[in-house]
Amino acid sequence: MDFNVEDLYVDLRPSVGRRLFLKCEGFNFAGSVKLKAATEMVEAKERGGELVPGATLIESSSGNMGVALSVVAASRGYRFVCVTDVRCTPAARRLMEALGSEVHVITEPDPDDGFLGARLSYVRRLCAANPDYLWLNQYANDGNWMGHYRTTGAEIAKAFPTLDVLFVGAGTTGTLMGCAHYFRENQPSVTVVAVDAVGSVTFGTPSDRRLIPGLGTSVRPGILDMSYVDDVVHVSEAETVRMCRRLVSRGFLFGGSTGTVVSGALAWMAANGMGDDVTAVAIAPDLGTNYLETIYNDEWLARSYDPPPLSDQPTWTNRPRSARPRTTR
């Protein structure tokens, strides 16, 4: 089955007041950018002879990778077991189950490593009890970033040959690393900015409560190489919600990861004095249908945050961490 769809880019200037192009990755059968990494990881295992018809795949996921692997597994005749946690949206869980996947939901975080640590421990226990399970381990699997090196990075370079800056959300860091590797090798003048969630430990900041799945980690991903990242922006969940709601008011229903990336991109551009002469692209990992019961639900916001993040006051923070000198065309 061919999962590729035509590239779609949106110029956000009418909505956010800055020239920022959004690469929309949610228009495929899995609904997110994760389909590229899922396909690459599974195909690599097939090429290596580790997968046979009827095999069982297992993975830890907060939602989108679980859905993507559910699609890939169903299309190729594999069983799939997803270990997620209570932050996974009900819609994502139902979609995985509809695709035939077995979903385990972790309800308590690890005291030190949060929900991700608890999920990984559970995956290891399931693998020990079921030796025939094949754990893809997206957090340490080079296929995760290689899928984006082969596709996402090249697609952006083709669409924007004079690209100056690329904004990529950091979850497992597969998309980030794939694009960063591609541009370092093929167009090294491009500045690659990672956008992370406040409360994530990925780039060395303290762990804190996070309710929106997607970006951020409580255990640093093994595939992350900081030397490929030119700068980092951290965005609070309050600002993620505000940006999602700002975009939906202009007709764009995006997921939480996209709200985080757009908010971080605008913050970085403002802090660095970027004008309309700069070509900037941000990657939108997913659409917003899976978040209708959370980010777009006033009752959920009232239960989850005090006060609910419905004002327009930005709360992002920019933490410059330039890894190497940059040049701007």
Side-chain angles (χ1 to χ4, degrees), residues 4-328:
N4 293 324
V5 295
E6 185 177 353
D7 284 343
L8 175 63
Y9 296 86
V10 173
D11 184 353
L12 288 180
R13 178 162 40 185
S15 300
V16 301
R18 281 189 177 272
R19 187 170 180 259
L20 175 65
F21 293 94
L22 196 61
K23 186 180 192 323
C24 301
E25 290 282 352
F27 295 97
N28 58 52
F29 289 109
S32 82
V33 72
K34 295 290 189 178
L35 187 56
K36 294 175 174 178
T39 302
E40 178 70 26
M41 289 190 296
V42 170
E43 288 183 347
K45 295 298 184 183
E46 289 175 336
R47 290 192 298 268
E50 297 178 66
L51 276 174
V52 296
T56 299
L57 301 169
I58 186 170
E59 186 56 279
S60 156
S61 170
S62 63
N64 281 340
M65 180 59 84
V67 173
L69 284 170
S70 295
V71 170
V72 174
S75 72
R76 295 173 182 244
Y78 303 128
R79 293 182 60 240
F80 174 57
V81 177
C82 181
V83 178
T84 188
D85 61 63
V86 291
R87 298 170 301 173
C88 179
T89 65
R93 286 184 232 168
R94 290 196 295 268
L95 181 51
M96 286 188 275
E97 290 170 342
L99 287 162
S101 298
E102 179 182 324
V103 181
H104 297 251
V105 181
I106 301 300
T107 58
E108 295 295 330
D110 180 270
D112 299 316
D113 294 328
F115 276 110
L116 177 54
R119 292 192 337 237
L120 294 177
S121 294
Y122 192 79
V123 168
R124 293 186 182 100
R125 291 199 297 273
L126 284 180
C127 288
N130 301 274
D132 58 325
Y133 280 15
L134 178 61
W135 180 22
L136 294 171
N137 193 5
Q138 60 173 323
Y139 312 96
N141 189 326
D142 286 339
N144 188 350
W145 67 262
M146 183 57 72
H148 298 287
Y149 177 90
R150 296 182 194 275
T151 60
T152 313
E155 291 162 3
I156 294 170
K158 180 180 179 181
F160 296 91
T162 60
L163 181 65
D164 291 301
V165 57
L166 175 65
F167 299 96
V168 190
T172 65
T173 69
T175 310
L176 173 64
M177 286 292 97
C179 291
H181 275 271
Y182 181 88
F183 283 104
R184 178 68 63 87
E185 294 179 15
N186 296 280
Q187 204 170 328
S189 62
V190 173
T191 298
V192 177
V193 179
V195 183
D196 199 9
V198 169
S200 167
V201 306
T202 302
F203 296 98
T205 50
S207 176
D208 202 355
R209 185 186 81 147
R210 292 178 292 110
L211 300 181
I212 300 174
L215 301 187
T217 65
S218 53
V219 179
R220 187 179 179 185
I223 60 174
L224 174 63
D225 185 340
M226 297 264 297
S227 70
Y228 282 84
V229 180
D230 299 306
D231 214 345
V232 179
V233 181
H234 283 87
V235 176
S236 72
E237 289 198 342
E239 189 57 21
T240 292
V241 172
R242 294 187 186 106
M243 182 54 66
C244 285
R245 295 216 163 193
R246 180 178 178 183
L247 291 172
V248 80
S249 73
R250 303 303 297 267
F252 299 116
L253 181 68
F254 286 115
S257 298
T258 300
T260 303
V261 172
V262 173
S263 179
L266 295 177
W268 191 92
M269 294 175 75
N272 288 276
M274 298 292 161
D276 283 350
D277 59 327
V278 172
T279 301
V281 172
I283 298 176
D286 58 0
L287 300 179
T289 46
N290 283 344
Y291 300 83
L292 294 176
E293 298 174 56
T294 55
I295 290 174
Y296 298 103
N297 185 309
D298 289 351
E299 293 181 0
W300 182 84
L301 292 177
R303 293 195 306 269
S304 303
Y305 301 96
D306 185 19
L310 298 176
S311 72
D312 293 328
Q313 180 62 41
T315 56
W316 53 265
T317 59
N318 185 38
R319 184 173 67 88
R321 195 204 57 76
S322 295
R324 56 197 172 98
R326 310 303 301 164
T327 59
T328 303

